[in-house]
Amino acid sequence: MRRALAVLGLLPILAGCSGEPSEADMRRLVETHTRRALERQGQGGFQAFDAFRKQGCVDAAKKTGKGGQFDCYYAATFAPQPGQPPMTVNGKGRFTSGDKGLTFEDMGAQPR
């Protein structure tokens, strides 16, 4: 019984070893990307998402031939302009782990 409990205690640690980005890492990178994109369009003022949810990731190594890449899906809710109602966007991005840390490549988003 004690062994079973010890193994169960290790599951969160082992799950983190997959290389898949965490929800917090995804949020940080997607928020930075969104902030920069809106600023380039002259639409500053975006600070952070009201809500962000990781929906899942798939290992992209088979598609790209490179390890450490995950195609991840997410839902982000934010107000595009101050005073406007919030909108939720379903997005997809490629998250790559490399020498410079984790990077994000936008692969498209759809308003919901």
Side-chain angles (χ1 to χ4, degrees):
M1 179 69 168
R2 287 186 188 201
R3 264 191 210 164
L5 291 176
V7 170
L8 288 175
L10 289 175
L11 286 178
I13 295 168
L14 295 174
C17 295
S18 70
E20 185 176 301
S22 70
E23 183 173 273
D25 288 337
M26 288 175 60
R27 181 179 185 142
R28 178 180 49 82
L29 290 168
V30 177
E31 279 179 339
T32 299
H33 173 80
T34 302
R35 187 177 307 109
R36 289 178 181 159
L38 289 171
E39 286 172 356
R40 278 193 302 270
Q41 296 173 8
Q43 299 177 12
F46 172 78
Q47 294 300 312
F49 296 125
D50 297 328
F52 185 91
R53 189 178 74 242
K54 175 180 176 178
Q55 295 177 320
C57 295
V58 294
D59 191 340
K62 292 180 183 177
K63 292 180 189 176
T64 65
K66 298 178 185 177
Q69 292 187 329
F70 291 87
D71 291 348
C72 300
Y73 299 86
Y74 59 87
T77 302
F78 66 104
Q81 293 290 316
Q84 289 185 341
M87 65 184 287
T88 299
V89 173
N90 289 315
K92 178 182 177 184
R94 178 160 294 153
F95 295 83
T96 304
S97 183
D99 296 341
K100 297 179 182 178
L102 191 63
T103 60
F104 168 73
E105 175 188 350
D106 188 13
M107 298 178 76
Q110 297 292 322
R112 192 167 35 154

